[in-house]
Amino acid sequence: DIIVFFDCHVKPAPDYWVPYVNAVEGNYKRVVIPTITSLNVDTWEEFNRPAASGGGMSKCYLTFDAEFKWTTDKTPYVPIMSGGLLAISRNWFFEIGGYDSSMKGWGGENIDQSLRIWTCGGEIVSAPESYVAHMWRDGTAKTKANYKLGAGDAVKNRARAVKAHLGPWFEKKTLTFPSFKDWRGKELDTSSITDTFSNLKCKNFEWYLNRFKNIYRDAGVLPKEVFQMEAILDETSSTPLCLELKTMHWTNYGSADEIVLKQCTGDASASEPKPIWWHRSSRLQDGSCCGSLRAWNTDQCVDGRNPQLGATKLSSYTCNLDSGLEAFLDPPNDDTEEFLLKVGRDDQRCVTVKGNSSLKIVKCEHASKWRKRNAFTPIEYELLGGDSKSDWESDS
């Protein structure tokens, strides 16, 4: 038997179930996710179906603040499912313990279930020929939810989900995010999760990070080095200036922002939710790391998709893990202490400092130089075991 879970505000396409059955029949521990399209709430008709099989939305990845971000790649495997749309064999669902009996409302169940499935011997795959149209909440009255969650329930659900699975990354990384500050130093019972699969000899979270090295290593989601990007200014400037997101703080649930010059900070601020810290991110065309720059502990990358010469605003956008070369530090003349900050794919446009206070896109021969400041290895990388570090570094 196969159990299918659907949000209430969806419309499955005819024969959506055929790929489900075919996939699960081949492996009862295989969970299947459809291609998620959009639903017109006035006509109840599907739209935004991808032109070719393999497009659309079906897979997410986990960030250390217990958020999940949409992504795509060339594999059928889904690191984290979005939650409301899936097919799973009845045997496997109950073998891994079903849903968390202590969860309230919703939120985090997809993280818990995804990590259970993967670490306990199953797999999650996308079904590119199965389409389910989903109503997205757009802020209008017609798409507004007709229910309310209890105050703090969603955050608590997510906290319990990641505590049950992340091991030391929960205490030393997840709890550093502002959204989880209320759970620092407090008891958080996760036995209703962990007791249900304690007999399955499941792998740990480090195994999961290695299973999805294409995301955490190759796309730079788990960086080895974090640094500030300091502009090398003329001697008349006494205050060191670094790049920082203008409005966002630590979160992987953000939106486009502006990147501005702010006063650089000391080492101590690495523990504060201030997006002045950056790292390399996003896969190159050959699948290796890295071709962009991401603000640490956020989902924002330097926007190098279409830089215009003369532009006086540098923006960020939600990172595309397959963005290729969009923004990177390039050492001119093999000088590894000073860099050009290149944006775009033509290798000719760079970010410069204008008047010691603002930014501008210019030809690289006229651009300011930059240097890494106060670089360090973040705790999320330090927590990897020696074998994992050796493996990641030898393959990178």
Side-chain angles (χ1 to χ4, degrees), residues 33-282:
I33 309 299
T35 298
I36 304 169
T37 59
S38 299
L39 183 64
N40 185 313
V41 296
D42 295 316
T43 65
W44 212 247
E45 295 297 324
E46 177 195 56
F47 67 101
N48 281 348
R49 179 177 289 201
S53 174
M57 302 168 69
S58 61
K59 61 180 68 178
C60 303
Y61 68 94
L62 176 68
T63 51
F64 289 102
D65 57 346
E67 292 286 358
F68 54 99
K69 304 299 299 183
W70 293 104
T71 188
T72 59
D73 57 44
K74 297 177 181 179
T75 77
Y77 301 110
V78 177
I80 295 289
M81 52 190 174
S82 59
L85 305 168
L86 67 130
I88 184 173
S89 70
R90 180 183 296 272
N91 286 347
W92 184 231
F93 180 73
F94 288 108
E95 194 172 325
I96 60 173
Y99 281 119
D100 173 18
S101 61
S102 296
M103 181 183 68
K104 295 183 178 180
W106 64 272
E109 77 284 353
N110 60 318
I111 296 172
D112 172 30
Q113 287 288 306
S114 297
L115 293 173
R116 287 197 213 189
I117 291 162
W118 278 111
T119 60
C120 297
E123 64 181 24
I124 311 172
V125 300
S126 58
E129 302 296 339
S130 177
Y131 297 98
V132 176
H134 183 278
M135 181 200 78
W136 305 104
R137 301 200 189 279
D138 59 10
T140 62
K142 65 179 65 176
T143 64
K144 184 179 180 180
N146 292 317
Y147 59 85
K148 292 183 178 180
L149 289 174
D153 284 349
V155 173
K156 184 177 180 179
N157 289 340
R158 289 164 47 221
R160 294 180 66 257
V162 293
K163 182 183 179 184
H165 295 283
L166 266 60
W169 279 271
F170 173 72
E171 293 285 347
K172 295 185 178 182
K173 182 63 181 181
T174 302
L175 291 183
T176 66
F177 286 89
S179 55
F180 294 100
K181 65 180 184 300
D182 291 341
W183 294 104
R184 296 169 192 166
K186 293 184 179 179
E187 184 64 29
L188 193 61
D189 182 16
T190 61
S191 59
S192 63
I193 299 175
T194 55
D195 288 353
T196 58
F197 57 84
S198 59
N199 63 328
L200 294 182
K201 298 181 180 179
C202 303
K203 307 289 187 181
N204 62 21
F205 185 62
E206 185 166 342
W207 175 91
Y208 177 86
L209 294 173
N210 279 292
R211 171 61 183 80
F212 291 104
K213 283 191 296 186
N214 67 315
I215 290 174
Y216 294 99
R217 183 195 65 184
D218 300 341
V221 174
L222 197 165
K224 182 182 178 182
E225 181 187 53
V226 174
F227 48 85
Q228 297 173 58
M229 287 191 285
E230 180 187 358
I232 300 176
L233 305 175
D234 58 50
E235 296 180 356
T236 61
S237 177
S238 59
T239 301
L241 297 176
C242 290
L243 294 182
E244 181 177 343
L245 294 180
K246 186 175 182 178
T247 60
M248 278 185 58
H249 294 287
W250 286 5
T251 175
N252 282 285
Y253 196 71
S255 57
D257 200 354
E258 184 178 357
I259 301 170
V260 296
L261 285 168
K262 292 285 187 70
Q263 183 174 344
C264 303
T265 62
D267 294 336
S269 66
S271 61
E272 298 174 6
K274 191 173 184 180
I276 203 167
W277 301 93
W278 299 82
H279 59 86
R280 298 167 66 232
S281 73
S282 305

Side-chain angles (χ1 to χ4, degrees), residues 360-379:
K360 187 176 182 179
I361 307 297
V362 299
K363 291 185 176 180
C364 290
E365 59 262 34
H366 305 304
S368 307
K369 301 294 194 305
W370 302 79
R371 58 174 162 244
K372 295 179 182 179
R373 179 184 174 94
N374 293 333
F376 68 97
T377 301
I379 187 63

